[in-house]
Amino acid sequence: TLEKWGYTDTSQCPRCGQAQEDAIHHINGTCSPDKTRWMNSVHMLEKWLQKEKCQPILRQMILYGLCQWYQPDPALPAVPLSPMALSFWIDQEAIGWPMMVMGFVSKWVDKLQSAHFKALRSRRSSQRWTASINQQLGNVAWDQWEHQNEMLHGTNAIQCFADDLDKSVSTVWELGPPQNCPPHC
């Protein structure tokens, strides 16, 4: 957290005011200002998965898992799952969806994608593809981190500071000078 690293005096989230901010809180977009940013990040991941010929059920499960983590829904999508796809789901659930965004992807991702590339008669490497999906998942995390920094240090933060300063000056002005102030005040 920023407090732990000495960048702020409080562990409170600068975006939503939650008492204890942590990495997972910033990545999953549960702060109300982040919902649009989170959904945009997941949408960009979806476009990448389609463009890079992700195995369709794997793509659906990854997106469902990330969205389920964001807004819990206990039911797995009603699609027939191969034993390998079910193994991926069980394995990634055990690892955790937050951990997936941080680069801890189930070994079944590579196996599912390899089988998909073979079915397509593609010569693409599933290992390279898996490394690329890790990078794309890192982009989702980066977007959330970047947004947090914009809120803390960007123009919005400067404007909030300026507004607070204006309110403080106005309050002092309305109170007038202290009673025991020397004449030159």
Side-chain angles (χ1 to χ4, degrees):
T1 65
L2 294 173
E3 178 194 32
K4 191 187 302 182
W5 295 336
Y7 290 110
T8 64
D9 296 334
T10 178
S11 64
Q12 186 175 10
C13 175
R15 297 180 294 185
C16 72
Q18 178 177 310
Q20 291 288 336
E21 58 115 10
D22 59 12
I24 300 302
H25 175 76
H26 290 296
I27 292 171
N28 78 352
T30 55
C31 294
S32 54
D34 292 0
K35 290 179 183 177
T36 302
R37 188 83 171 238
W38 171 257
M39 295 312 291
N40 286 342
S41 295
V42 172
H43 180 69
M44 294 303 291
L45 175 64
E46 179 180 21
K47 287 171 73 176
W48 182 88
L49 290 169
Q50 288 173 342
K51 182 181 124 233
E52 295 299 320
K53 302 199 180 336
C54 179
Q55 199 271 355
I57 291 177
L58 176 61
R59 180 180 69 233
Q60 184 178 358
M61 289 192 312
I62 288 170
L63 296 171
Y64 180 82
L66 292 175
C67 290
Q68 177 216 13
W69 168 45
Y70 175 71
Q71 192 168 7
D73 179 10
L76 187 63
V79 294
L81 297 178
S82 68
M84 201 181 302
L86 186 58
S87 294
F88 159 72
W89 183 264
I90 291 168
D91 198 34
Q92 194 61 55
E93 281 281 310
I95 295 167
W97 295 98
M99 300 307 288
M100 180 182 230
V101 175
M102 291 198 249
F104 295 94
V105 177
S106 168
K107 65 184 176 198
W108 292 99
V109 167
D110 182 59
K111 292 177 183 184
L112 280 162
Q113 195 59 34
S114 178
H116 182 61
F117 282 155
K118 284 179 185 167
L120 294 175
R121 295 189 175 141
S122 173
R123 295 177 61 195
R124 292 182 63 188
S125 164
S126 63
Q127 292 172 334
R128 278 197 180 152
W129 187 92
T130 302
S132 294
I133 193 173
N134 267 330
Q135 183 177 6
Q136 295 303 313
L137 289 163
N139 289 343
V140 172
W142 178 259
D143 284 346
Q144 298 307 306
W145 178 252
E146 187 176 54
H147 182 61
Q148 185 250 355
N149 285 331
E150 287 170 6
M151 294 295 291
L152 190 60
H153 304 293
T155 56
N156 288 345
I158 293 168
Q159 187 60 49
C160 287
F161 176 75
D163 291 346
D164 288 347
L165 188 57
D166 284 346
K167 286 177 189 173
S168 297
V169 169
S170 295
T171 302
V172 170
W173 182 261
E174 288 171 11
L175 292 173
Q179 290 180 0
N180 295 330
C181 185
H184 63 277
C185 282

